[in-house]
Amino acid sequence: MRRIITLILLICFSIDVFTQEFKFGGNLGNWVHDWVIDMDLTSDGSIILSTDNQARYWDTNGFIPEETFYGLTKIDKAGKVAWYFDFFRTSFDYHEYSIAQTVLDESDNIYSLIYVYQKTNADIINGITYYPGLNLVKISPQGKVIWIKDIGTTDDMGASILYKNGHIYVLCLYQGDLTLESTRKFSSQKYYQCFQWTYEQGTDYLMTKYDTEGNLMNAVSFGEDYPDIAIDATIDNDENIYFLGVSDYFGGCANAYSHITKVDKNLNIVWKKVTSLQTNNNGLFNATNIHYSANNKIYVWGNIYNKITTEDYTLIRDCGTTGGDFSSCLLEFNSSTGNYFRKMQLNSCSTTFTQGSSDDFRRHFVNGYMTDFDNNLLIHTAFVGTLNIGDTTIMSSYYTDTYNYNLQNMLLLKVDVENLTPKYINTFSGAFNSYYLDFPGKILTDNKNNLYLSGTFSENPIYINNDSIGNNSGNGCYDVLYCKFGLEKLLSDTKEIYPNNDEFILYPNPCTNFLKYRYKDKVDKIQIFNMIGTMIRECEINNSVLDIHDLEPNSYILLFYKDNKIISRKVIVKK
């Protein structure tokens, strides 16, 4: 009996990607969950990472291992740890704190928001007074505390810090009575608790302005009767502040609404734009990130669960058939007036971050971190399953035991702001041997066309182009990822080849050390041939990753066998 083998004809698609010169990368973490909070770039190309660590919840005696990176970490321009700073490492009962955000001034001084838990009185550690609640801390480029200012608010959810022209702006929430100075006293508004028929004090917005010596220049409070939520903020060159919030956030007693609010440098409200109104048949736009762009427009990234209808747009959750909870959307607004311009929606979904409260939008939902690059937007986010971007189809990694599980991978996009259309740059995923989820972190660019990327990942290892970065936990917990790439030019001649019906993807191509493939079924056999038809090897089938680090630079043909089909690929190996 003669066996007939059918060679599948492949349809080729061209994908616009950047050249990605991988300059350095690494991870921070220990045996428990670690996750990234913020990232800033110094004048010499070093990065400051703000991280959080689950050890502060578990270790009630303050004995956090010395190798635990918790607080602030400086990564030098070669990618090595220069120093790390745990604010309360020397205190037994003072490790209960979290970091909200950080900013740098022109001299690389660091301004950080830290929130101290479970304390009712101020305490002195190493000669520095720390306060219960929210603290504004100035730290030298060498990692030494210069001063601390007591903001004293009762929560750090959504707290943001911004710097421009020698001024520091802080947006946060407070509840009840608050005194910043003898002449600056505030009291949050009361709301009617309709379930218990009583009045209670809610959370209101507090915005403060400081100089670089820590002197309070101005402070204002505003908000609705029912609780307000702060999410994220951005600032323009004239020190106008744009922030995301949700107001009247109390289910059953009020209809919550999400909004963008513009505040000028004197802390006066200029305008407020409602982006969604929660009703019985309408959901909230779960915004997570706001970005003021060089084109003087405002971009808002958010998540959709229920249908959203406003006078400007209709947003409908679109997860396809591949899982996830919330689909992602980018909205564009006029920064002068708040008028809505356009939207961009992805046809794939993401899942939530279990380490964040559902009321803390920025830490709970998948973010879309944005930065400007070459008159475009770069966006770092995440997706689950299959995602169509123009004529490009990408698939997240998956894990198989009894069932197939689509995993969540980090995703880097370029958005052409002329027509608000996305183009695929890269995905980052890992060894597909368990049920893992990854979450994006902040991205930054410098004036040398370098991209700095952060994230939170749980694989061991995670693959970054042709390199890999390990996970220190050893048990599937999260680690913090940081990387530096060069983005010098578009790579117009790179092709990603896949059949449109069989959903087979092989990448990256060209490659160096690793190849990854994705297919709807598990393949039976993989063979590598040189260009004259000699078989070089038969590969181990190991979780959709091929180790080709020992192949000589050249072109090769890879054959993937499944039942009576052979899928052929040409790949280029470079060193």
Side-chain angles (χ1 to χ4, degrees), residues 462-526:
I462 190 170
Y463 296 102
I464 308 295
N465 293 344
N466 289 298
D467 294 278
S468 62
I469 295 174
N471 183 300
N472 291 338
S473 68
N475 56 7
C477 286
Y478 296 117
D479 267 10
V480 172
L481 170 73
Y482 61 89
C483 302
K484 178 182 178 181
F485 300 93
L487 299 175
E488 281 75 19
K489 61 180 180 179
L490 287 174
L491 186 60
S492 59
D493 59 351
T494 297
K495 308 289 183 181
E496 187 109 20
I497 304 173
Y498 58 93
N500 59 342
N501 293 325
D502 292 278
E503 297 179 345
F504 186 95
I505 299 176
L506 180 69
Y507 67 98
N509 190 12
C511 55
T512 304
N513 296 317
F514 299 97
L515 272 169
K516 291 186 279 185
Y517 65 92
R518 296 173 186 171
Y519 191 45
K520 62 182 180 180
D521 299 314
K522 183 178 181 181
V523 299
D524 301 322
K525 183 170 61 175
I526 305 171

Side-chain angles (χ1 to χ4, degrees), residues 204-222:
D204 281 353
Y205 297 114
L206 176 71
M207 185 166 284
T208 54
K209 180 178 181 179
Y210 298 85
D211 64 21
T212 56
E213 299 304 316
N215 297 309
L216 180 63
M217 302 176 67
N218 198 1
V220 297
S221 169
F222 49 87

Side-chain angles (χ1 to χ4, degrees), residues 173-187:
L173 300 173
Y174 78 104
Q175 183 178 30
D177 297 327
L178 177 67
T179 299
L180 294 179
E181 292 178 348
S182 59
T183 58
R184 300 185 187 274
K185 298 181 179 181
F186 304 97
S187 182

Side-chain angles (χ1 to χ4, degrees), residues 136 158 189 201 335 404 464 468 512:
L136 172 60
Q189 299 179 78
Q201 281 192 298
S335 63
N404 288 332
I464 308 295
S468 62
T512 304

Side-chain angles (χ1 to χ4, degrees), residues 101-103 105 109-113 137-138 147 161 168 212:
Q101 282 187 347
T102 57
V103 291
D105 64 19
N109 293 299
I110 305 160
Y111 302 88
S112 181
L113 292 176
V137 186
K138 182 176 181 178
W147 50 252
I161 183 170
I168 303 150
T212 56

Side-chain angles (χ1 to χ4, degrees), residues 17-19 291 293-295 371-379 413-418 423 425 444-451 487-491:
V17 298
F18 289 97
T19 56
H291 174 69
S293 180
N295 63 5
T371 191
D372 293 326
F373 177 76
D374 193 25
N375 298 318
N376 295 284
L377 278 181
L378 296 181
I379 300 180
L413 299 173
K414 183 187 77 169
V415 175
D416 181 355
V417 295
E418 288 296 321
K423 290 188 177 181
I425 300 177
L444 299 166
T445 55
D446 62 20
N447 57 8
K448 298 179 180 178
N449 288 344
N450 292 308
L451 171 70
L487 299 175
E488 281 75 19
K489 61 180 180 179
L490 287 174
L491 186 60

Side-chain angles (χ1 to χ4, degrees), residues 348-382:
S348 182
C349 279
S350 59
T351 190
T352 55
F353 187 44
T354 56
Q355 301 301 313
S357 163
S358 60
D359 292 338
D360 192 348
F361 282 39
R362 192 170 63 207
R363 295 181 184 174
H364 184 66
F365 297 103
V366 166
N367 286 242
Y369 292 94
M370 295 169 276
T371 191
D372 293 326
F373 177 76
D374 193 25
N375 298 318
N376 295 284
L377 278 181
L378 296 181
I379 300 180
H380 187 211
T381 186

Side-chain angles (χ1 to χ4, degrees), residues 14 164 203 335 444 565:
S14 174
K164 188 67 67 174
T203 53
S335 63
L444 299 166
K565 297 179 180 179

